[in-house]
Amino acid sequence: MGKGKVYYKTEDEIGLLRESSLLVGKTLAEVAKMVKPGVTTLELDAVAEEFIRDNDAVPGFKGYGGFPNSLCTSVNAEVVHGIPNNRPLEEGDIVSVDCGVLKNGFYGDSAYTFAVGNISAEVEELLKVTKESLNLAIEQAIAGLRIGDIGYAVQNHAERHGYGVVRELVGHGLGRSLHESPEVPNYGRRGNGLKLREGLVLAIEPMINLGVKEVRQAEDGWTIVTADGLPSAHFEHDVVIRKGKAEVLSTFKWIEEVLKEK
Ligand code: MG
Ligand code: MG
C-alpha cells in the first residue's frame, strides 16, 4: 500500500465515498449501543455485519488479506487488527473498533475507541488526547499543505502528553481500494511529503500508546499489541482535501449520541 498511483476523486465519487463513510458511522453507533461489560467482540461483529448487509453494503474487512471478520476489535494493549473473539469485555477495558464497508464500489473506513463501563482517569485522558490529535490532523488536511503537516500535528500533540506514536501502521488514501496511496503517517515534519490537492480522500487514523511507541505482532498473525503491554487508542476519520478546510466524510455524531444516553 501507499506506493502506487494517487487518485483524485470527482464530486460524484466523493458522494459515493461519503455514503460509505456515513454507513460506517451508523454501524459504529450500533456497536456503541452494545458496548458494556459482559458483551463479547464476536457479538459486536455479528451485529455490525448484519447492519452493513441490511444497508446494501458488504463488510470491507472480511476476507481482506484473509482477515476473518467484519470488525477489527482491539482491547486494551491491542493497538489495531484485533480479531473478534468470545472473551467478554470487562469493566475498565477499552475497545478500539475499526469498521470498513464497501458500497457502490467505494470504501468507508472509520474507527472509534470505546470505554467499557468506567475507566481510569489516565486512560480516559489517552482517549481524549488521541481524538484531539485526529482533529488537529484534520485541520492540516487542506489543499496546499503536505502529508508531513498532518503527521506532525498528531505527533506533536500526542508526544506533548508523553504518549507513544505508533510508526509501523499509518493512515492511507481511500477510494475503490481500501488502502490507496499516499501513506499518511502519524508522525512527520512540517512542509514534508506529498502536497495535498483537492479531491484527495484520506483515512487519517492516529494510533497512540499510553507508554512506549513500539509494537509487536501477536501470535495470531494479525493483532498488533504494544511492546510494554500498556493501553492504546485509535480514532479514524475519512476526509476529502478541500481549499481552506477539509470535509470530513465520516462522522462520530451518531456514536456520541448513543454514548451520551448511557
Ligand atoms: Mg480503519
Ligand atoms: Mg484505515
Side-chain angles (χ1 to χ4, degrees):
M1 112 188 201
K3 303 283 186 274
K5 184 171 160 40
V6 176
Y7 295 96
Y8 299 91
K9 274 70 181 183
T10 65
E11 289 303 326
D12 285 350
E13 291 170 331
I14 290 167
L16 297 175
L17 279 158
R18 188 183 296 112
E19 192 178 331
S20 296
S21 298
L22 292 177
L23 177 55
V24 176
K26 284 181 187 156
T27 307
L28 288 173
E30 294 302 307
V31 170
K33 290 176 188 169
M34 298 178 68
V35 171
K36 59 175 182 230
V39 76
T40 71
T41 47
L42 263 179
E43 289 170 328
L44 304 180
D45 183 71
V47 165
E49 177 166 357
E50 187 179 7
F51 187 81
I52 291 165
R53 295 192 190 279
D54 284 349
N55 283 275
D56 305 315
V58 295
F61 298 165
K62 196 167 192 171
Y64 186 88
F67 190 79
N69 291 85
S70 298
L71 299 178
C72 294
T73 53
S74 307
V75 179
N76 296 334
E78 297 172 351
V79 180
V80 288
H81 302 170
I83 300 172
N85 62 35
N86 270 318
R87 189 185 76 84
L89 294 173
E90 292 174 19
E91 180 91 22
D93 285 344
I94 55 171
V95 57
S96 300
V97 180
D98 196 346
C99 179
V101 306
L102 176 61
K103 183 170 182 174
N104 302 316
F106 286 87
Y107 283 91
D109 182 15
S110 179
Y112 198 93
T113 300
F114 298 95
V116 182
N118 290 310
I119 61 173
S120 72
E122 190 182 38
V123 176
E124 188 90 59
E125 178 75 2
L126 173 69
L127 302 193
K128 176 171 162 274
V129 170
T130 304
K131 203 195 294 178
E132 287 169 356
S133 74
L134 172 57
N135 291 330
L136 290 166
I138 291 169
E139 288 178 14
Q140 299 295 310
I142 52 179
L145 295 187
R146 290 177 184 268
I147 288 288
D149 295 303
I150 293 174
Y152 175 84
V154 173
Q155 182 181 10
N156 181 52
H157 191 61
E159 290 184 350
R160 276 196 322 124
H161 289 81
Y163 298 144
V165 177
V166 175
R167 302 295 202 272
E168 288 83 350
L169 298 125
V170 296
H172 49 91
L174 184 75
R176 290 187 181 277
S177 298
L178 180 58
H179 295 123
E180 294 185 355
S181 284
E183 293 190 341
V184 185
N186 294 304
Y187 58 95
R189 286 189 292 140
R190 281 184 280 193
N192 255 51
L194 181 77
K195 189 180 266 193
L196 304 171
R197 280 176 41 196
E198 286 176 85
L200 180 62
V201 175
L202 300 176
I204 303 177
E205 47 179 318
M207 290 155 252
I208 305 298
N209 300 344
L210 184 62
V212 299
K213 66 180 185 299
E214 284 77 19
V215 297
R216 63 178 176 83
Q217 191 167 52
E219 270 124 56
D220 62 17
W222 278 105
T223 315
I224 303 296
V225 299
T226 58
D228 59 8
L230 291 174
S232 183
H234 180 212
F235 291 86
E236 177 178 24
H237 266 320
D238 304 329
V239 308
V240 54
I241 304 300
R242 304 280 193 193
K243 279 193 185 125
K245 192 175 195 296
E247 179 188 349
V248 183
L249 298 176
S250 49
T251 180
F252 297 153
K253 175 182 71 175
W254 296 304
I255 298 169
E256 290 176 347
E257 281 173 10
V258 169
L259 297 182
K260 230 180 289 164
E261 297 293 306
K262 282 191 168 180

